[in-house]
Amino acid sequence: MLLYLQPSLPQIFRACYSHFYVLDHLYFMQIALAEANAAAEAGEVPIGAVLVQNETVIAKSGNRTIRDTDPTAHAEIVVLREASRLLGNYRVADTALYVTLEPCAMCAGAMIQARIPHLVYAADDPKGGAFRSCFEILSSAKLNHQVSVTPGILADESAALLRNFFAARR
């Protein structure tokens, strides 16, 4: 479920490419997709999340709502809880959260409370997304913290995983 202090982005990428920022996004989103796949294999909705600090994975997980019988055990919440415990602080500044689906309102609220500075997500969620699809929580000037967001990284792969998961259940 959770793996801590993973090695940072492979050095070969840095040696071969000067634009490794985009490669960072791809690399960490691929880890999130692997977590989403593992969640699907466990019968959970396939959403994965990875929290990164200084190019190091601090925590990663897929959805655990069914396994934990906990409606709040979305991948993002599980990762934020574990990272807070490991870092010894409920504020997880200087991090980036990678998620395979646009976060819901609950997860967006948790990100605000944790002071996540940056979110990278794959696919939009037209039925519950809280960045731009249904709500605009993460960028609301009414709140005391806003999150910068990079949407659309590996969106097709994430959307296909969700589509296939739900098609198999119909």
Side-chain angles (χ1 to χ4, degrees), residues 1 33-47 61-69 73 161 165 169:
M1 172 186 75
L33 280 167
E35 290 298 314
N37 275 303
E41 290 174 11
E44 301 276 358
V45 174
I47 299 171
S61 183
N63 270 4
R64 298 194 52 85
T65 55
I66 296 167
R67 289 176 282 182
D68 292 356
T69 59
L161 180 60
F165 176 83
R169 276 149 183 73

Side-chain angles (χ1 to χ4, degrees), residues 27-101:
Y27 176 75
F28 293 121
M29 190 59 74
Q30 287 170 342
I31 296 172
L33 280 167
E35 290 298 314
N37 275 303
E41 290 174 11
E44 301 276 358
V45 174
I47 299 171
V50 176
L51 189 72
V52 175
Q53 185 178 57
N54 299 323
E55 298 180 19
T56 300
V57 172
I58 302 300
K60 64 181 184 173
S61 183
N63 270 4
R64 298 194 52 85
T65 55
I66 296 167
R67 289 176 282 182
D68 292 356
T69 59
D70 179 357
T72 69
H74 291 194
E76 301 96 309
I77 301 293
V78 174
V79 164
L80 288 174
R81 285 178 181 154
E82 188 60 20
S84 294
R85 186 185 68 74
L86 285 171
L87 297 173
N89 194 333
Y90 70 105
R91 305 276 200 226
V92 288
D94 302 323
T95 60
L97 181 62
Y98 291 79
V99 186
T100 58
L101 186 68

Side-chain angles (χ1 to χ4, degrees), residues 102-105 124-137:
E102 180 181 4
C104 70
D124 287 329
D125 182 1
K127 295 185 178 183
F131 168 61
R132 66 181 179 190
S133 296
C134 292
F135 309 103
E136 295 180 0
I137 294 171

